[in-house]
Amino acid sequence: MRAGRVFAYGAAAGLLGDLLLGDPRRGHPVAVFGRAAGAVEQVLWRDHRGWGALHTVVCAGGAAVLGSAAAHAVRRSPAASVALTAAATWSVVGGTSLAREATAIGRALDAGDVEAARARLPHLCGRDPQALDADGIARAVVESVAENTSDAVVGALVWGAVAGVPGLLGFRAVNTLDAMVGHKSPRYRRYGWASARLDDLAGWPGARLTAVLTTVAGGDPRGAARAWRTDAAQHPSPNAGPVEASFAGALGVRLGGTLSYGGRVEHRPVLNGAAGRAVRAGSGDIDRAVRLSRRVGLLALGVCAGARLLARGATAKNPGVTKGRTS
């Protein structure tokens, strides 16, 4: 079985597994990686970019090497290769858990239980829940759904299509490291620099594909494209900007503005401010964002699997091109 079909079948099975099972409550592979990365940090930490870069290479490189070794071990068995790709895909995507957490917060807000929503918000994002009212929580959820659609679903599928199992595991490792050490706290300002920059690079293609698919799948394609074009570059993150702006335009809401992380207040540009309304608790905005996220994830599977199949087919038809490049 060709590698393109292995990825297509395995990624589809893995995404179905995520849809049916979600994340396990205990022993999730990403959590296991996080504990291992934390142990490496205890050994390597210095207030220095070089040591942080070494941490990134050891952890992210180790995940990619592990994936490569596993793929090599089962390469002669199509069934085992598909099963490995499915397991890797299921372990790195998090669309179902994202939807469940967002929906749970939305239900609490619908019931008027703001304290329950505040208690649940840290499961989804790093905002300071005590600094948010009901509408602020709803906006934080919509923004997190948008950003994590790229980080937890589309980006992983893109790198899986490019590099198979090593790409899946490597991308998720980079994304996890950024969440662990990539923020600008006194401890990680230097040490986490390499992880943050690598995450920006690895997330670039997935974020753009997410924005494109959001424009296609959303309720207002023109609004999504307009918000992406006019507002995305104002966002401090090169990858969150296109994703959040396109979501804002597609949903007809305003995102961005003042937010608080661990007591640190940031004033971010408003996205889709000219055409959108404020996100409101109890308005269905969270549910609409979740549905849009699911559509984007399914479209991403089709695009990535199709691209991998087409690329392999083109290589098979023109073997001389590949030989010429490697000679």
Side-chain angles (χ1 to χ4, degrees):
M1 184 184 294
R2 292 176 179 172
R5 291 184 180 180
V6 167
F7 173 74
Y9 297 160
L15 214 60
L16 179 61
D18 176 66
L19 181 63
L20 296 176
L21 303 175
D23 293 333
R25 295 183 180 275
R26 296 181 181 178
H28 194 288
V30 175
V32 173
F33 170 82
R35 289 193 292 271
V40 173
E41 179 189 339
Q42 293 300 314
V43 175
L44 295 181
W45 188 90
R46 307 287 190 282
D47 190 17
H48 190 277
R49 284 184 176 183
W51 286 94
L54 178 60
H55 178 236
T56 302
V57 170
V58 169
C59 296
V65 169
L66 178 63
S68 180
H72 182 76
V74 300
R75 70 190 187 283
R76 298 187 183 280
S77 171
S81 296
V82 170
L84 176 64
T85 303
T89 301
W90 168 78
S91 69
V92 303
V93 300
T96 294
S97 292
L98 173 65
R100 286 176 180 172
E101 291 297 334
T103 300
I105 296 171
R107 295 293 174 267
L109 292 175
D110 290 343
D113 193 345
V114 179
E115 288 305 315
R118 286 196 179 110
R120 193 108 192 194
L121 186 63
H123 293 270
L124 190 64
C125 66
R127 306 283 176 88
D128 181 2
Q130 299 306 318
L132 299 172
D133 60 10
D135 290 345
I137 293 172
R139 193 194 83 197
V141 171
V142 172
E143 290 172 354
S144 296
V145 168
E147 186 172 0
N148 282 295
T149 299
S150 177
D151 289 344
V153 183
V154 181
L157 292 173
V158 167
W159 282 104
V162 170
V165 171
L168 288 164
L169 299 187
F171 173 80
R172 191 58 171 164
V174 169
N175 190 248
T176 303
L177 286 175
D178 178 62
M180 294 177 67
V181 304
H183 39 89
K184 295 181 179 179
S185 66
R187 177 178 175 86
Y188 295 122
R189 188 177 300 276
R190 294 184 181 87
Y191 188 81
W193 178 84
S195 291
R197 298 290 78 74
L198 183 58
D199 183 68
D200 286 343
L201 291 172
W204 196 94
R208 273 71 194 169
L209 179 58
T210 302
V212 169
L213 297 179
T214 299
T215 301
V216 173
D220 185 358
R222 290 185 178 180
R226 181 182 61 250
W228 177 12
R229 183 179 64 253
T230 60
D231 298 337
Q234 302 177 52
H235 197 286
S237 168
N239 295 330
V243 173
E244 290 185 19
S246 60
F247 258 74
L251 297 172
V253 299
R254 296 194 301 269
L255 298 178
T258 302
L259 49 85
S260 176
Y261 285 99
R264 186 182 76 256
V265 176
E266 294 184 16
H267 300 284
R268 293 184 177 176
V270 175
L271 306 176
N272 199 40
R277 59 167 176 79
V279 176
R280 296 190 297 270
S283 66
D285 290 335
I286 291 176
D287 287 340
R288 292 194 301 125
V290 168
R291 289 195 296 270
L292 177 56
S293 175
R294 288 196 180 280
R295 292 196 297 271
V296 169
L298 290 173
L299 286 173
L301 172 64
V303 169
C304 292
R308 182 69 181 259
L309 287 168
L310 288 173
R312 289 293 175 177
T315 301
K317 290 180 180 178
N318 299 280
V321 173
T322 302
K323 291 178 181 178
R325 287 177 179 172
T326 57
S327 60

